[in-house]
Amino acid sequence: MKVSFLIHTIYGIGGTIRTTLNLAEELAGRHEVEIVSVFRHRDEPLFAIDPRITVVPLVDTRPSSPANEKKHERHLQPPEYFPRNEARHQEYSRLTDERVRAHYAGAGSDADVVIGTRPGLVAYVAAFAPAGAVLIGQEHMTHNHHKPELRAEMAGFLTRLDAFVTVSEGDAASWRERMPLPGTRVLAIPNSVPEPVVAPSDTSGTTIMAAGRLASEKQYHVLIDAFAQVVAQRPEWTLRICGWGNQKDRLRKRIDRLGLYNSVHLMGPRSPIEPEWVKGAIAVSTSRHESFGMTLVEAMRCGLPVVSTDCDYGPREIIADGEDGLLVPVGDTDAIAGALLRLIDDPELRRRMGAAARVNARRFDPGPVAKQYEELFAELGAAPTHRSAAPRQTPSAPPAGPVAGPATEGPVAEDPVADCVAAGDGSLTVTLLTPREGAHLVAGGHDFPFDGHGTATVPAGTPFAEGVHPARLRLPGAEGPVPLTTRAVDQRGAMRAAGRQAAGAPVRQLVPYTKGGALHLRSWVRPVHAEAGDIRVEGGRVTLSARLYGAAAGPGGEPALLLRRRGKAPLELAFPGTRHGTDGFRFTFSCTAPAARQQDPHDVWDLWLRPAPAAEPVRLARVLDDVVEKGSLFPYPPAELRKKRPFGPVRAVVRKLAGRPPERVVVRLFHSAANDLVLNVVDVPTA
């Protein structure tokens, strides 16, 4: 049979998109599957799409596209069929009405099952789906989440459906109780999460993972407050939050205000997410409400025990409290911190719960979930032979507009696709999903043959030059090497780089990563290296720690931190420091020192460590982990200072009399593209 999913956009990232693709891919093995994406706002989807699935974009809103239809005359008119109280109502229009109607009225869209994936699209399904098709609405939120006005508006549409599917039994019961739908079957089928393509976490690290939209309902501010309690007792632990959303700036300010910028990192969106989950030892969710909890299942399938708020409705139907995770009250900062510390302080409990999580989460595999949907399709009479010739009764609709043609997305079968794993010893393994006879991996001037199983090994210590090296596949008789598309890149081994550096030996770090969809290797090679540690910015003063690798610190003598200004007026400032152990150092300096010597509106200073008066300075950087570019992910709070100039007091009085604010500068530390530590002194714009 033919199954059609109607979705807002398949080109973004989010739980509805992920679960739609998981179900569609499983069904595609036995049925014809299409995903109708109302909007196309970027060239390529962020998630890989199985080539067996046909993607049909209807309205092109790509900013750079010549066919951009944001200013289309019909797109500037309000929609007739999209519910007025739906959260995305302003994004829909008479044009979207026409395109959806035209697609399902066309000869090429003879779907046997049509599934709407959000309230407004459920309304579209009820109005426009082909005659005789089985109509299914999916509820990816909850009954309680929707405003009463939207629920009232949706009642008429829901009665036209054959089935309405929630993702939790609790929410299905709520719908049945509060909105009886005669003739519409209301039931729960959970979202599906496939088995990860990376090895599970061994829960031995010191990283806590969270993932999801940076939105208010996720209550990341509660998580950050709870983690402040955790890190006060266990300072070696860190928290990584993957995702994007409108709360990012607010969360960043909270992190800075609590002084957690060394320990809490907003990692941005990550796809695929599994290689990030397995870097963690614990997963955490602090949502105010969850219709299901995709991230919980993803983390559990990756072998992580989960701490989650016991919100309606998903978590309590996913987590067996005390067996594979811990449930805590919503918004209870102390309880969240206590649960995290319980798992942190009991490695055996972490390991045991992580193992149970893997086993228990198998019930959410796409196979069993797709089977429930197929059984529902059959019970509702979905089959090509059961298609009715009678037209479905729908409200009158405007004439259909042009329909975007089908477009299959994702890598074609002939593209070389590979997984890459960074091992703890510094070696890499690259495995082709489809082995190629005589294939070689080429990168950075090196050549590594693939064995009969399609695996090539890059030995630890291979002498790559420092820089970025595209990894390519070379085949016998081919004109030249071709890029390797990545499916999953497991960077966990890179997180252990500091522990494997041999005393007195040059520092080598090789991190695999995906760039433009293809495998790349980032190499750092330094005879002597100063790894930056915690950095504190308080009251205009900076305190930083560092550790020296590759050479002994040398006997005696006071270490110094050097600030070296770039540009036409180079200058060096030196600040004394203290030693901590054999290779550790600590320095404190005032931001007023570089600010007082400002030459240009944007001064740039590089930071160097001189371990002893007679020793050669060493560049300060942070490279011994898995993060290839730290600039936006590891920011430090700025120090804003009053600008000091000759005759400064007189100038300040003149500005005050003129009603203009004092001249100020911002001093900010950041990591360059090479992850070297850099300091900026920048003028603050004034009136």
Side-chain angles (χ1 to χ4, degrees), residues 364-410:
F364 300 108
D365 191 82
V369 172
K371 184 178 179 182
Q372 293 183 62
Y373 268 99
E374 288 175 309
E375 291 172 351
L376 178 63
F377 300 161
E379 291 169 8
L380 298 174
T385 56
H386 295 156
R387 293 292 300 278
S388 169
R392 179 174 301 279
Q393 297 300 312
T394 65
S396 60
V403 178
T408 300
E409 302 287 356

Side-chain angles (χ1 to χ4, degrees), residues 561-565 569-574 597 605 608 610 617:
L561 173 71
L562 307 180
L563 269 60
R564 291 179 172 176
R565 186 169 60 202
L571 181 68
E572 181 177 281
L573 303 178
R597 293 161 175 81
W605 301 73
W608 297 73
R610 187 172 63 200

Side-chain angles (χ1 to χ4, degrees), residues 10 63 174 187 197 270 345 371 422 560 599-600 609 633 676 679:
I10 202 66
S174 182
L187 71 158
V197 296
R270 300 284 161 146
D345 292 341
K371 184 178 179 182
Q599 290 290 312
D600 296 309
L609 185 156
L633 305 182
D676 293 328
L679 183 143

Side-chain angles (χ1 to χ4, degrees), residues 587-611:
F587 304 95
T588 298
F589 68 92
S590 173
C591 293
T592 57
R597 293 161 175 81
Q598 186 184 15
Q599 290 290 312
D600 296 309
H602 189 154
D603 276 359
V604 180
W605 301 73
D606 295 319
L607 279 70
W608 297 73
L609 185 156
R610 187 172 63 200

Side-chain angles (χ1 to χ4, degrees), residues 4-23:
S4 177
F5 292 89
L6 180 61
I7 195 168
H8 176 73
T9 180
I10 202 66
Y11 295 87
I13 192 167
T16 299
I17 299 172
R18 288 202 307 273
T19 193
T20 297
L21 288 172
N22 291 342
L23 178 58

Side-chain angles (χ1 to χ4, degrees), residues 31-234:
H31 307 283
E32 182 183 352
V33 177
E34 71 173 9
I35 295 177
V36 180
S37 181
V38 178
F39 295 103
R40 181 179 189 176
H41 64 288
R42 57 166 51 92
D43 292 338
E44 300 294 335
L46 293 178
F47 291 117
I49 298 181
D50 190 307
R52 298 172 298 176
I53 299 169
T54 299
V55 175
V56 185
L58 299 183
V59 177
D60 190 343
T61 58
R62 290 174 290 172
S64 61
S65 171
N68 186 339
E69 296 176 294
K70 276 193 172 182
K71 301 298 183 182
H72 191 289
E73 179 184 1
R74 305 289 278 175
H75 197 46
L76 300 178
Q77 301 174 16
E80 184 176 350
Y81 300 110
F82 198 86
R84 190 167 300 174
N85 292 288
E86 225 265 28
R88 292 192 179 273
H89 178 266
Q90 296 297 324
E91 300 176 49
Y92 283 75
S93 65
R94 192 63 60 88
L95 181 64
T96 59
D97 287 356
E98 294 173 357
R99 293 287 171 84
V100 175
R101 181 175 184 268
H103 173 75
Y104 285 115
S109 291
D110 54 342
D112 301 292
V113 178
V114 182
I115 302 173
T117 58
R118 64 175 297 119
L121 300 182
V122 169
Y124 271 177
V125 167
F128 302 137
V134 166
L135 309 189
I136 295 176
Q138 288 182 335
E139 176 56 87
H140 288 280
M141 299 303 293
T142 66
H143 180 278
N144 295 336
H145 176 80
H146 299 307
K147 295 179 180 178
E149 295 82 1
L150 177 60
R151 294 199 297 263
E153 196 174 5
M154 289 298 298
F157 296 110
L158 295 178
T159 57
R160 301 180 206 167
L161 302 179
D162 296 296
F164 186 58
V165 181
T166 70
V167 291
S168 72
E169 291 290 348
D171 192 40
S174 182
W175 278 99
R176 287 192 290 262
E177 176 186 350
R178 302 178 188 182
M179 187 184 287
L181 298 170
T184 300
R185 184 174 174 186
V186 179
L187 71 158
I189 300 178
N191 288 332
S192 66
V193 175
E195 183 176 0
V197 296
V198 292
S201 167
D202 63 8
T203 71
S204 66
T206 57
T207 301
I208 298 170
M209 295 295 306
R213 289 178 298 110
L214 305 185
S216 58
E217 64 265 22
K218 301 298 182 181
Q219 294 203 118
Y220 285 122
H221 65 285
V222 174
L223 173 57
I224 291 168
D225 290 351
F227 187 74
Q229 298 183 32
V230 171
V231 78
Q233 298 184 48
R234 302 291 178 266

